[in-house]
Amino acid sequence: MSKVTIHELSKHIGERVEIDGWLYNKRASGKLQFPIVRDGSGYLQCVVSKKEVDEASWNAVDGATQESTVHVVGTVRAHQKEPGVVELGVETFEVRGPAEDYPITPMEHGTAFLMDHRHLWLRSSKQVAVLRIRSEIEQACRDYFYQNGFTLVDAPILTANAAEGMSTLFETDYFGKKAYLSQSGQLYLEPAAAALGKVYCLGPTFRAEKSKTRRHLMEFWMIEPEVAFLEFDGLQELAEDFVEYIVGRAVERCQEELKTLERDVSKLANVRKPFPRITYREAIELLASKGMPAEFGDDIGGDEETVIANSFDRPVIITRYPTAIKAFYMQPDPNDPDVVLGMDMIAPEGYGEIIGGSQRIHDHDLLLERIKQHNLPLEAFQWYLDIRKYGTFPHSGFGMGIERAVAWVSGVHHLRECIPYPRMLNRIYP
Amino acid sequence: MSKVTIHELSKHIGERVEIDGWLYNKRASGKLQFPIVRDGSGYLQCVVSKKEVDEASWNAVDGATQESTVHVVGTVRAHQKEPGVVELGVETFEVRGPAEDYPITPMEHGTAFLMDHRHLWLRSSKQVAVLRIRSEIEQACRDYFYQNGFTLVDAPILTANAAEGMSTLFETDYFGKKAYLSQSGQLYLEPAAAALGKVYCLGPTFRAEKSKTRRHLMEFWMIEPEVAFLEFDGLQELAEDFVEYIVGRAVERCQEELKTLERDVSKLANVRKPFPRITYREAIELLASKGMPAEFGDDIGGDEETVIANSFDRPVIITRYPTAIKAFYMQPDPNDPDVVLGMDMIAPEGYGEIIGGSQRIHDHDLLLERIKQHNLPLEAFQWYLDIRKYGTFPHSGFGMGIERAVAWVSGVHHLRECIPYPRMLNRIYP
């Protein structure tokens, strides 16, 4: 008799097996009981017939409560009505770890309650589905870059740099010096691109923003490729090729999970390159035509993004933003000096910006000027300037927030469900 | 004419190509110059004949300094003497980004100097090789768990828990509360194992230890699997199967890099399961027989580890350590209550401990007692205790430090070269 996971059971039809798991739900009908067992790999309907089991097993099923740990022995068989589904004809059923008053019941709970019990809420079928999609998307991200000749370069988390404004940095004491938690690996990837050509990082990033929207987390994961000698057009091609790949992988390999989440996958089938591309100037015109007047220099906010996204059937790339509203390191457009070679990719269906990227300034003196204009501490950026001093090269990269991509693909509106243990304003437990 | 990377050149023999890269080195012999160009994907010898190029190209090669950015056009051809190697018959050679007085020359530099210039030192051939091996090992880790049905569960970095002693924690203000940088994802993986069965995390972990040895970093990456219903014997099998896989992958796919590092790969060929396993009590006896007396309850330090490792031709697993010297959550051995079902794996050749793991206590009351004995703040561990309250289950897991594995496989003795931007005592720049 073999110990198997529920996911593997279809390969064991007709065999006697042992299953370890938790009681997910149950129903009864006279002399039959139907406990549903989950083991993390899947869900299994067990069939317990009073005639075929001893009294201890029958009573164990009868008394078992939600989320009790159970050990079941039985024979795998095809489900009589549902093709492709297996069930277990039970021989013995044993409760090995009882669960009294499990706090999360099939009834509705408020979000605060669920978040307080995140360590248990993870067991719910929708949470399991979202986390599996997250896992698939992260592996797809890594496979994409691995297969395309990129080298993984883990950027540091503790940094002396304060690139995007002191006010949103978490600070810590580093043996008497101040250190900050990284908001992006980009600055560290640029020197690595000079060493290894094509590089990427994927790790946690931090933003101490007093923000409570559904699109913000204090701690989130970001994937950032950086490529030597890649210019702005190539960057946009890389971004759309990458997004097409990861969405396609999730749709192909997470069919069950997307079904559990009732995700309309037809909306994801359109994610095929080329994606539409519009300039910021065109976006302003588009917004005006939709009754949302904006001026050159205005930020494109969440509502505006949704209006733009709704004008297309797949992600849209907005390019060439005003210099004043973008980061100091972005390369100016040689044909339109008021704008930079920066891009954002907006997901459809109101999921907002998922990618931001740019060609980077590679001229030493221009970068120095920008660092001064932005009042950044020059000595902290000396090493970053060095990359323009010793064999400078055009290069480009982007960042994609993992949780935003997971939210979009899963059809989950709040980022807090797209990461195992969300860190939000006033929430760092569990 | 196509723009290709050096790595791809062997597929383009006879073709005219463009290469972007940096000048790595050069030599000259009368009317021939041989610049060696690197582009991050590999190294290429270019052959420049005074008869065949114009004066501008000839002078550009002549004047080009180390690490200048160069653009080369030429025809790919097989190297006349070295089979399998290609070279480029140059047509035009252009310096696009000069490098004056590049600080890292082929002469010897001190470590402090090199670490101050880590952003440039990354370009050196040995550093490139180590980082490629690191990238391969991390991808191998992820592929191993992905292919074996594990779900990636990213553990949080910011945590309210202080599991392994306050004195070595980095602290930060979290909107008026104290938060710490995580030292391990394990506590967060255990609840996730109840949701998803087999889970793992791979992320940065932090230790604010005032330690300056070659085996310590303040920020390092760790991979941690956690498996529901896995007991101690299964844990050891998982650990050895995993290590065999990742070492095999690096040896197979990083042949060039291992050659660059002059690594004796015959030493790695032995990394085949089963690995020898000895108990802590046997290790004490072994040490005594080698003239290193130790008593039950003593820690096994670095020197002792090396003596033990040298007694075997592959990694060795030491099991069943005294309860008093191991973490509070380790399951007692039912047959020997003074020891726990914990294991360390020691790498050969003096590379020390690479894996630490254990079966976890799954009895609620015993765990509660241990939390109290260790004076840990009970309210911070309530959620962790919950996992023993609602359907408890035996489970096990381990952690492997990525840098230690990279150091061993690469044959590099100091961990600081095994991570792109090391964070050490007094070093957080660049």
Side-chain angles (χ1 to χ4, degrees):
Chain A
M1 183 168 58
S2 55
K3 211 166 195 169
V4 291
T5 63
I6 291 172
H7 183 70
E8 305 164 312
L9 278 185
S10 57
K11 285 179 266 169
H12 295 269
I13 289 179
E15 290 174 35
R16 260 185 93 208
V17 298
E18 271 180 85
I19 298 282
D20 282 310
W22 295 267
L23 185 69
Y24 182 67
N25 213 334
K26 66 178 179 183
R27 60 187 178 86
S29 162
K31 299 201 166 164
L32 288 174
Q33 292 188 95
F34 303 95
I36 296 168
V37 173
R38 60 167 199 86
D39 72 347
S41 81
Y43 301 84
L44 172 68
Q45 172 165 288
C46 302
V47 182
V48 186
S49 160
K50 196 163 188 176
K51 280 190 302 198
E52 285 164 27
V53 300
D54 63 16
E55 207 181 327
S57 285
W58 179 261
N59 291 340
V61 179
D62 195 39
T65 52
Q66 188 195 350
E67 286 304 319
S68 293
T69 315
V70 298
H71 179 80
V72 195
V73 174
T75 302
V76 187
R77 60 195 193 204
H79 192 286
Q80 290 182 329
K81 290 175 190 161
E82 294 178 55
V85 174
V86 299
E87 59 179 27
L88 195 76
V90 172
E91 211 171 286
T92 63
F93 188 100
E94 190 189 333
V95 171
R96 290 197 169 171
E100 273 175 56
D101 302 323
Y102 184 72
I104 302 175
T105 58
M107 64 173 238
E108 285 279 315
H109 295 283
T111 301
F113 179 85
L114 290 170
M115 293 302 299
D116 285 342
H117 293 85
R118 182 64 176 167
H119 54 298
L120 301 173
W121 188 27
L122 292 175
R123 303 183 187 187
S124 301
S125 57
K126 285 198 176 180
Q127 302 305 312
V128 164
V130 175
L131 291 183
R132 278 205 202 290
I133 290 168
R134 180 187 171 100
S135 178
E136 184 64 43
I137 285 177
E138 285 200 56
Q139 185 71 25
C141 288
R142 295 188 181 274
D143 289 351
Y144 179 85
F145 289 115
Y146 182 76
Q147 288 157 13
N148 285 287
F150 285 66
T151 301
L152 170 66
V153 171
D154 293 309
I157 308 302
L158 290 168
T159 165
N161 285 55
E164 296 196 42
M166 296 289 295
S167 62
T168 60
L169 287 167
F170 286 107
E171 185 185 306
T172 188
D173 173 72
Y174 193 84
F175 307 104
K177 286 181 197 162
K178 281 186 184 177
Y180 307 96
L181 301 191
S182 178
Q183 299 194 325
S184 159
Q186 178 201 324
L187 301 194
Y188 295 95
L189 287 184
E190 293 182 48
L196 295 145
K198 298 194 274 186
V199 296
Y200 83 96
C201 67
L202 200 182
T205 53
F206 302 86
R207 218 149 285 187
E209 236 174 311
K210 284 206 168 171
S211 175
K212 271 186 129 170
T213 85
R214 66 183 173 87
R215 285 191 188 167
H216 284 91
L217 293 167
M218 302 304 155
E219 178 180 319
F220 59 99
W221 289 63
M222 187 149 67
I223 183 156
E224 297 173 271
E226 190 74 34
V227 185
F229 304 109
L230 185 72
E231 301 190 29
F232 193 51
D233 286 342
L235 176 69
Q236 294 170 64
E237 281 161 32
L238 179 68
E240 65 185 10
D241 193 56
F242 167 72
V243 168
E244 179 185 279
Y245 178 79
I246 61 165
V247 172
R249 263 271 294 256
V251 169
E252 178 200 324
R253 301 199 191 178
C254 296
Q255 293 180 17
E256 294 235 345
E257 289 78 9
L258 291 164
K259 214 169 130 188
T260 298
L261 296 168
E262 297 168 26
R263 178 67 168 117
D264 179 358
V265 288
S266 72
K267 294 258 170 67
L268 297 173
N270 271 343
V271 183
R272 292 272 172 257
K273 60 179 185 177
F275 297 169
R277 298 178 190 181
I278 61 170
T279 65
Y280 171 89
R281 290 184 194 278
E282 287 163 348
I284 294 287
E285 280 169 34
L286 177 64
L287 287 170
S289 78
K290 305 276 180 184
M292 294 182 98
E295 278 179 39
F296 182 87
D298 288 351
D299 250 325
I300 295 182
D303 292 344
E304 288 84 0
E305 278 175 3
T306 301
V307 168
I308 295 169
N310 288 343
S311 307
F312 301 96
D313 68 344
R314 63 198 70 200
V316 51
I317 296 174
I318 307 177
T319 62
R320 296 178 159 81
Y321 285 80
T323 311
I325 61 168
K326 284 290 181 185
F328 71 94
Y329 48 69
M330 292 194 186
Q331 174 79 4
D333 184 347
N335 302 316
D336 184 356
D338 294 335
V339 303
V340 286
L341 298 179
M343 59 163 281
D344 285 353
M345 187 188 290
I346 315 296
E349 303 173 69
Y351 287 96
E353 182 202 322
I354 48 163
I355 278 183
S358 73
Q359 183 168 338
R360 322 305 191 184
I361 292 174
H362 64 278
D363 181 79
H364 178 276
D365 295 346
L366 176 60
L367 184 63
L368 179 62
E369 193 186 308
R370 289 287 158 87
I371 287 173
K372 288 177 180 167
Q373 278 167 0
H374 283 75
N375 292 315
L376 293 166
L378 191 55
E379 74 274 27
F381 287 92
Q382 206 54 60
W383 65 280
Y384 184 64
L385 280 161
D386 271 1
I387 304 311
R388 282 74 182 170
K389 205 167 156 187
Y390 303 109
T392 197
F393 56 105
H395 58 288
S396 303
F398 66 76
M400 184 189 80
I402 295 294
E403 291 75 17
R404 290 187 176 205
V406 173
W408 167 38
V409 171
S410 304
V412 168
H413 273 266
H414 205 301
L415 294 190
R416 67 182 166 223
E417 294 183 39
C418 299
I419 186 165
Y421 295 92
R423 295 302 181 235
M424 299 183 296
L425 201 59
N426 306 323
R427 175 159 305 281
I428 194 173
Y429 176 98
Chain B
M1 183 169 58
S2 55
K3 211 166 194 171
V4 291
T5 63
I6 291 171
H7 182 70
E8 304 164 312
L9 277 184
S10 58
K11 286 179 267 170
H12 295 269
I13 290 178
E15 291 174 34
R16 261 185 94 209
V17 299
E18 271 181 85
I19 298 281
D20 282 309
W22 295 267
L23 185 70
Y24 181 67
N25 213 334
K26 65 179 179 183
R27 59 190 178 85
S29 162
K31 298 199 167 165
L32 288 174
Q33 293 188 94
F34 303 95
I36 296 168
V37 172
R38 61 167 199 87
D39 71 348
S41 81
Y43 302 84
L44 172 68
Q45 172 165 287
C46 302
V47 182
V48 186
S49 161
K50 196 163 187 176
K51 280 189 300 198
E52 285 164 25
V53 299
D54 64 15
E55 208 181 325
S57 286
W58 179 262
N59 291 340
V61 179
D62 195 40
T65 53
Q66 189 196 349
E67 287 304 318
S68 292
T69 315
V70 299
H71 179 80
V72 195
V73 174
T75 302
V76 187
R77 59 197 193 202
H79 192 285
Q80 291 182 328
K81 288 173 191 164
E82 295 178 54
V85 174
V86 298
E87 58 179 27
L88 195 75
V90 171
E91 211 170 286
T92 64
F93 188 100
E94 191 189 333
V95 171
R96 290 197 169 172
E100 272 176 54
D101 303 322
Y102 184 71
I104 302 175
T105 58
M107 64 174 239
E108 285 279 314
H109 296 283
T111 301
F113 179 85
L114 290 171
M115 293 301 299
D116 285 342
H117 294 85
R118 182 63 176 166
H119 55 297
L120 301 174
W121 189 25
L122 292 175
R123 304 183 186 186
S124 301
S125 57
K126 286 197 175 181
Q127 302 305 312
V128 164
V130 175
L131 291 184
R132 278 207 201 289
I133 290 168
R134 179 187 170 101
S135 178
E136 185 63 41
I137 285 178
E138 285 199 56
Q139 185 72 24
C141 288
R142 294 187 182 275
D143 289 350
Y144 179 85
F145 289 115
Y146 181 77
Q147 287 157 14
N148 285 287
F150 285 65
T151 302
L152 170 66
V153 172
D154 293 309
I157 308 303
L158 290 167
T159 163
N161 285 53
E164 297 195 41
M166 296 290 294
S167 62
T168 61
L169 287 167
F170 287 107
E171 185 185 306
T172 189
D173 172 72
Y174 192 84
F175 307 104
K177 286 182 197 163
K178 280 186 185 179
Y180 307 96
L181 301 191
S182 178
Q183 298 193 327
S184 159
Q186 178 201 323
L187 302 195
Y188 295 96
L189 287 184
E190 294 183 46
L196 295 146
K198 299 194 274 187
V199 296
Y200 83 97
C201 66
L202 200 183
T205 53
F206 302 85
R207 217 149 287 186
E209 236 173 312
K210 283 206 169 172
S211 176
K212 270 186 129 170
T213 84
R214 65 182 174 88
R215 285 191 187 165
H216 284 92
L217 294 168
M218 302 304 154
E219 177 180 321
F220 59 100
W221 288 63
M222 188 149 66
I223 184 155
E224 297 173 271
E226 190 74 33
V227 186
F229 305 109
L230 185 72
E231 301 191 29
F232 192 52
D233 285 343
L235 176 70
Q236 293 169 66
E237 282 160 33
L238 178 68
E240 65 186 10
D241 192 59
F242 167 71
V243 168
E244 179 185 280
Y245 177 80
I246 62 166
V247 172
R249 261 269 297 254
V251 170
E252 178 200 324
R253 302 199 190 177
C254 297
Q255 294 179 17
E256 294 237 346
E257 289 79 9
L258 291 164
K259 214 169 131 188
T260 299
L261 297 168
E262 296 167 25
R263 179 67 169 117
D264 179 358
V265 288
S266 72
K267 295 258 169 70
L268 298 173
N270 272 341
V271 184
R272 291 272 172 259
K273 62 179 185 180
F275 297 168
R277 297 178 191 182
I278 61 171
T279 65
Y280 172 88
R281 289 184 194 277
E282 289 163 347
I284 293 288
E285 280 170 34
L286 177 64
L287 288 170
S289 77
K290 305 276 181 185
M292 293 182 100
E295 279 179 40
F296 183 87
D298 288 353
D299 249 324
I300 296 182
D303 292 344
E304 288 84 359
E305 279 174 1
T306 302
V307 168
I308 295 169
N310 288 344
S311 306
F312 301 96
D313 68 344
R314 62 197 71 201
V316 51
I317 296 174
I318 307 177
T319 62
R320 297 179 158 79
Y321 285 81
T323 311
I325 61 168
K326 283 290 180 185
F328 72 95
Y329 49 69
M330 291 195 187
Q331 174 79 5
D333 184 347
N335 303 315
D336 185 355
D338 293 336
V339 304
V340 286
L341 299 179
M343 60 163 281
D344 284 354
M345 187 188 290
I346 316 296
E349 303 173 70
Y351 287 96
E353 182 203 322
I354 47 164
I355 278 183
S358 74
Q359 184 169 336
R360 323 304 191 183
I361 292 174
H362 64 278
D363 181 79
H364 177 276
D365 294 347
L366 177 60
L367 185 63
L368 179 61
E369 193 186 309
R370 289 288 159 85
I371 288 173
K372 287 177 179 168
Q373 278 168 1
H374 283 75
N375 291 316
L376 294 167
L378 192 55
E379 73 275 26
F381 286 92
Q382 207 54 60
W383 64 279
Y384 184 64
L385 280 161
D386 271 1
I387 304 311
R388 282 74 181 170
K389 206 167 156 187
Y390 303 110
T392 196
F393 55 106
H395 57 288
S396 303
F398 66 77
M400 183 188 80
I402 295 293
E403 291 76 16
R404 290 187 176 205
V406 173
W408 168 37
V409 170
S410 305
V412 167
H413 274 267
H414 207 302
L415 294 190
R416 67 183 167 223
E417 294 184 39
C418 298
I419 186 165
Y421 295 91
R423 294 302 180 234
M424 301 183 296
L425 201 60
N426 306 320
R427 176 160 304 280
I428 194 173
Y429 176 98

